[in-house]
Amino acid sequence: MDIERIVEDSLKVFSVQSIRNGPAKKYKGIYISSNTLSKHGIEVPECNSRRPLLLLGGTSIPISDRKEFLAFLLESGFEVASIENSIGGPFDIFINPKKERPKSLQDFIDYLESSEKIARIDIAAQSYSAFEVIRMLSSDPLKYKKLIGSIIFINPPGLNDNTGFLRHCFRFLWHHVTKGYYRMSLDLFGIGNSPFVKDKTRKKEFIKREVHGITTWSFKSFRNLVRTLREVNDIVKFKIENPLKVLCNDYNYDINVFLQNEDQILPVEITLHKIRNLLPAQNIKVVPGGHNDLFFQKWQRCSFLNFLKDVRSRY
């Protein structure tokens, strides 16, 4: 049985009014329930039934790049859901992620609650998707309090007061692309410092996946530069510290952070400095790895799964 095929076959197209009186925007979404999984011989524990993990990707990470991680979660006994907003092409200059992504998220959660009759949702928001979650919750925090059990932000931006547009672009081009290929070249000849550099079989797979991740993310980022630059501008301007304080302290949302300490884009020490003043230690998990490792590598998925189980066990 190909679980990734189940993910592909479960995709649906939705539309939402992204701007008042503006044209409807389409987005893709999936919800894979315990009933669907039982038909394929995968049993979901009762405690996970009608309680999906809603996995959101960051900039330029479509569901096709998330499906392996989604399959891992399905095999681990979780229902999953996910949405994907259009990346678009070079001439799709009217895409506005700052407005469209929160609208799509709100529309999809309303669909899960009304049409799929889900009981609770846990959200795992990677990188830039933290913004749409925070914006949606901040717009009506009481509306979602009973429905959303927990939130895990994976390598979230918006906590660095000293970043800027050019600096963020430089980190992407230098630390992610240029240095990423350079490190993989060193690992190929056995002189790098990747985790499996001395294990030939695992090293080969690690390098292949890392190169694929660098190339895929870079290509999709450059495919629609207008959209990407709008996201970068949003990343360096929108600061999430105060909205997080309000959601945690005033509305008692269960917010957690999963960080990877070799993040090429967002310096983890800066994120940790801010997060430690906002959240208790049990709500923070730091593991090795890079910005998009959960999607393009395998080696830290079990760490995330264990953290997810710990978070869910609190209520």
Side-chain angles (χ1 to χ4, degrees):
M1 177 189 56
D2 185 355
I3 299 183
E4 291 182 34
R5 175 61 62 181
I6 298 175
V7 174
E8 293 175 2
D9 292 344
S10 300
L11 274 174
K12 296 180 180 179
V13 177
F14 299 83
S15 64
V16 63
Q17 207 77 14
S18 60
I19 304 171
R20 185 176 297 178
N21 299 324
K25 295 288 186 179
K26 295 186 183 298
Y27 69 92
K28 294 179 181 179
I30 58 168
Y31 168 53
I32 302 176
S33 68
S34 54
N35 290 335
T36 299
L37 290 173
S38 65
K39 294 176 183 177
H40 296 275
I42 300 175
E43 295 302 321
V44 174
E46 183 63 30
C47 62
N48 291 339
S49 181
R50 294 294 164 189
R51 186 181 168 185
L53 177 69
L54 176 56
L55 179 67
L56 305 173
T59 58
S60 307
I61 302 292
I63 288 176
S64 59
D65 291 329
R66 296 176 230 165
K67 64 182 180 180
E68 188 183 75
F69 187 38
L70 288 166
F72 167 79
L73 294 168
L74 291 168
E75 289 179 313
S76 301
F78 289 88
E79 294 187 348
V80 300
S82 196
I83 62 173
E84 170 193 317
N85 289 274
S86 174
I87 294 174
F91 301 108
D92 293 316
I93 62 174
F94 297 106
I95 292 176
N96 190 341
K98 180 179 176 180
K99 294 183 178 180
E100 293 169 10
R101 291 177 64 139
K103 285 287 186 180
S104 297
L105 178 60
Q106 180 181 355
D107 182 74
F108 188 64
I109 287 179
D110 290 345
Y111 161 78
L112 291 175
E113 184 179 24
S114 61
S115 299
E116 298 291 352
K117 308 300 180 185
I118 58 102
R120 300 276 279 192
I121 300 173
D122 295 284
I123 297 177
Q126 195 263 354
S127 188
Y128 181 62
S129 59
F131 285 15
E132 64 217 57
V133 174
I134 291 171
R135 284 178 168 133
M136 183 194 72
L137 297 182
S138 298
S139 69
D140 194 348
L142 290 175
K143 174 182 178 181
Y144 300 102
K145 184 65 187 72
K146 291 183 179 180
L147 182 65
I148 296 175
S150 67
I151 302 156
I152 300 177
F153 292 130
I154 305 167
N155 303 325
L159 291 164
N160 187 350
D161 295 328
N162 298 316
T163 192
F165 188 89
L166 292 178
R167 182 178 293 183
H168 191 84
C169 291
F170 173 79
R171 291 194 66 87
F172 176 80
L173 293 171
W174 176 248
H175 291 280
H176 170 66
V177 180
T178 306
K179 291 180 71 174
Y181 284 129
Y182 175 69
R183 284 194 298 266
M184 290 306 99
S185 298
L186 294 179
D187 290 341
L188 187 63
F189 294 103
I191 54 177
N193 59 359
S194 290
F196 310 115
V197 73
K198 294 182 180 179
D199 184 326
K200 290 185 178 180
T201 301
R202 300 183 76 182
K203 179 184 76 171
K204 184 177 180 181
E205 181 184 12
F206 185 90
I207 293 172
K208 181 180 178 180
R209 286 176 168 274
E210 192 72 7
V211 170
H212 171 70
I214 295 169
T215 304
T216 299
W217 190 30
S218 301
F219 171 76
K220 288 172 182 172
S221 296
F222 288 119
R223 196 171 84 182
N224 185 345
L225 270 178
V226 174
R227 176 199 54 81
T228 297
L229 293 177
R230 281 178 176 154
E231 290 179 345
V232 172
N233 186 59
D234 194 23
I235 286 169
V236 301
K237 287 187 175 180
F238 184 45
K239 304 304 177 188
I240 67 173
E241 183 176 4
N242 288 331
L244 283 180
K245 284 182 181 178
V246 172
L247 291 172
C248 290
N249 299 335
D250 296 354
Y251 297 97
N252 201 31
Y253 274 92
D254 182 11
I255 293 176
N256 307 267
V257 175
F258 185 88
L259 301 174
Q260 294 180 283
N261 62 12
E262 291 140 27
D263 194 317
Q264 309 95 320
I265 310 299
L266 306 167
V268 71
E269 64 274 6
I270 294 175
T271 304
L272 268 177
H273 176 72
K274 291 292 183 71
I275 287 297
R276 282 171 175 159
N277 294 325
L278 294 172
L279 304 176
Q282 68 173 357
N283 291 47
I284 304 169
K285 180 74 172 179
V286 184
V287 301
H291 190 72
N292 284 331
D293 265 17
L294 287 179
F295 296 135
F296 296 112
Q297 295 285 1
K298 292 182 177 180
W299 66 307
Q300 286 299 344
R301 290 176 183 171
C302 287
S303 295
F304 176 82
L305 182 64
N306 291 334
F307 186 56
L308 172 63
K309 290 178 179 177
D310 287 343
V311 168
R312 281 196 170 193
S313 68
R314 296 178 201 151
Y315 61 93

